[in-house]
């Protein structure tokens, strides 16, 4: 596809369960971001992958959160032992970075509800 | 440490008038600035950007102004239309560092 694709679009899970969220970035984009937006809040940065550099994990809220990007393409965000405060829309974005960053393109997001 | 700030959480503007959204930043390393628009239940979409070598960039009804000395940028929408009602985020970065977003301003255009 031409855009950033995220799956699933909606996920309802029970408290304490693990979830995996998937992001397929735009082909050829070297940078990939995960953000989340809780109800009524702004965009909260989670993690940033850029090429072969070590990811910037400074936004991950706890060690229950992890993400990987395999082969420089698809990324998976994993949340272990989910809590109700993890309920949010999780947004993935990708951008083409050569010498400088350019605009990032966002997916539609995954709405996670922890019950 | 909020490096990109949007101090107005909401703004209401009459249809046909000018909407002005503001953004301040603290990191003097930032050299690339962007505005995104977000509708409910959708991901943000890129609107317009500006490099620090410019002080103005225009695209149709949208103009972004950059004041480097004041570390301030603004987005002007004229004339405002009902479809412009959305949340607007400004963002900034430098080099290949990650984009840093503001907290957003909800714009409501009143018909």
């Amino acid at each position: 596809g031409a855009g950033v694709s995220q799956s699933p679009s909606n996920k309802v899970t029970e408290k304490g369960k693990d979830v995996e969220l998937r992001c397929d970035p735009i082909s050829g984009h070297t940078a990939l971001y995960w953000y989340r937006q809780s109800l009524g809040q702004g965009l909260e940065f989670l993690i940033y992958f850029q090429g072969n550099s070590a990811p910037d994990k400074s936004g991950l809220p706890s060690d229950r959160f992890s993400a990987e990007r395999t082969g420089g393409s698809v990324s998976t965000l994993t949340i272990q032992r989910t809590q109700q405060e993890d309920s949010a829309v999780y947004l993935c974005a990708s951008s083409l970075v050569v010498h400088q960053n350019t605009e990032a393109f966002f997916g539609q997001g995954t709405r996670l509800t922890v019950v | 440490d909020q490096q990109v700030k949007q101090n107005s959480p909401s703004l209401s503007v009459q249809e046909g008038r000018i909407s002005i959204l503001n953004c301040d930043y603290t990191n003097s390393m930032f050299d690339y600035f962007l505005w995104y628009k977000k509708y409910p239940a959708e991901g943000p979409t890129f609107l317009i950007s500006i490099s620090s070598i410019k002080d103005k960039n225009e695209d149709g009804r949208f103009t972004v102004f950059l004041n480097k000395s004041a570390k301030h940028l603004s987005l002007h929408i004229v004339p405002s239309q009902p479809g412009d009602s959305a949340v607007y985020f400004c963002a900034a970065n430098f080099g290949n560092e990650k984009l840093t977003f503001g907290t957003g301003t909800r714009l409501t255009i009143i018909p």
Side-chain angles (χ1 to χ4, degrees), chain B residues 77-99:
Chain B
I77 307 172
V78 56
S80 300
Q81 299 174 354
D84 297 330
S85 294
V87 177
Y88 290 78
F89 293 95
C90 67
N93 83 323
F94 62 94
N96 60 5
E97 295 295 312
K98 67 178 185 288
L99 285 171

Side-chain angles (χ1 to χ4, degrees), chain B residues 13 73 92 97:
Chain B
V13 174
L73 67 154
E97 295 295 312

Side-chain angles (χ1 to χ4, degrees), chain A residues 54-69:
Chain A
D56 178 348
K57 303 179 182 180
S58 60
L60 295 178
S62 76
D63 58 8
R64 296 187 295 105
F65 288 72
S66 64
E68 61 177 26
R69 188 179 186 192

Side-chain angles (χ1 to χ4, degrees), chain B residues 2-108:
Chain B
Q2 192 72 27
Q3 296 188 57
V4 179
K5 302 176 185 178
Q6 294 177 257
N7 293 317
S8 297
S10 63
L11 175 68
S12 293
V13 174
Q14 203 79 31
E15 182 180 0
R17 299 288 184 103
I18 184 171
S19 295
I20 300 176
L21 298 111
N22 293 302
C23 180
D24 297 290
Y25 61 96
T26 57
N27 191 339
S28 56
M29 296 284 291
F30 287 148
D31 62 6
Y32 187 60
F33 305 89
L34 309 89
W35 284 94
Y36 282 81
K37 175 179 179 178
K38 186 181 186 301
Y39 292 122
E42 295 184 11
T45 54
F46 169 73
L47 199 53
I48 192 168
S49 64
I50 188 166
S51 164
S52 61
I53 62 173
K54 295 185 175 181
D55 53 21
K56 175 183 174 181
N57 188 27
E58 190 172 351
D59 183 2
R61 296 186 298 115
F62 303 91
T63 304
V64 55
F65 294 92
L66 176 63
N67 182 335
K68 288 186 290 294
S69 61
K71 294 192 178 69
H72 177 83
L73 67 154
S74 61
L75 175 68
H76 292 210
I77 307 172
V78 56
S80 300
Q81 299 174 354
D84 297 330
S85 294
V87 177
Y88 290 78
F89 293 95
C90 67
N93 83 323
F94 62 94
N96 60 5
E97 295 295 312
K98 67 178 185 288
L99 285 171
T100 299
F101 282 83
T103 51
T105 296
R106 180 177 301 279
L107 175 65
T108 302

